Amino acid sequence: MGWEYGIRTTEPAILPEVVERLAGALTFTEVYSLEHQANGFVLKREDPSWPRALEVWVEEASGLEEVVDGESYIYCLFHMWGQEARSWMQQMERETRQVDGGLTWFEL
């Protein structure tokens, strides 16, 4: 499918705020639109055959090595590969470095 990453923290209460910051940090062309959801966001594109480019939300861990079951973390699903998706990941990584709270990226 694409790339799957998680972001864990030593302070789970900050995760909703971090998700909002990640959404605000993304730059994208007019063929994409950002849709906020209750616990995250989706970056959609104007292509009915593959409408979702990126999904980010707060999720409860279950069966992960990197996060204790029941703890919250940020789930990131990049439906696309290539330079565009890599750029979004880099933008999000830069934003997480600006946040206090021990944010750590890990691959799923």
Side-chain angles (χ1 to χ4, degrees):
M1 182 186 278
W3 301 324
E4 288 182 288
Y5 288 90
I7 306 170
R8 64 177 180 246
T9 181
T10 56
E11 301 175 38
I14 70 168
L15 292 179
E17 175 190 338
V18 172
V19 167
E20 287 300 313
R21 289 182 65 159
L22 295 175
L26 292 175
T27 58
F28 46 87
T29 65
E30 65 278 349
V31 299
Y32 297 97
S33 62
L34 189 69
E35 179 183 287
H36 292 274
Q37 299 186 346
N39 62 346
F41 65 88
V42 176
L43 187 60
K44 293 184 168 187
R45 60 187 204 154
E46 297 175 7
D47 181 350
S49 68
W50 201 282
R52 292 177 176 229
L54 170 64
E55 296 180 64
V56 176
W57 65 81
V58 176
E59 188 168 278
E60 190 174 289
S62 177
L64 299 177
E65 292 179 22
E66 298 84 356
V67 183
V68 175
D69 284 357
E71 286 192 10
S72 295
Y73 72 102
I74 297 173
Y75 176 74
C76 306
L77 175 56
F78 294 82
H79 288 276
M80 302 173 45
W81 300 275
Q83 185 55 39
E84 203 164 31
R86 189 171 317 285
S87 174
W88 296 331
M89 184 184 304
Q90 290 168 344
Q91 292 167 27
M92 291 169 51
E93 287 173 332
R94 278 193 299 275
E95 188 63 30
T96 58
R97 286 194 295 269
Q98 305 299 314
V99 178
D100 292 331
L103 294 171
T104 306
W105 283 73
F106 59 95
E107 191 171 350
L108 293 167

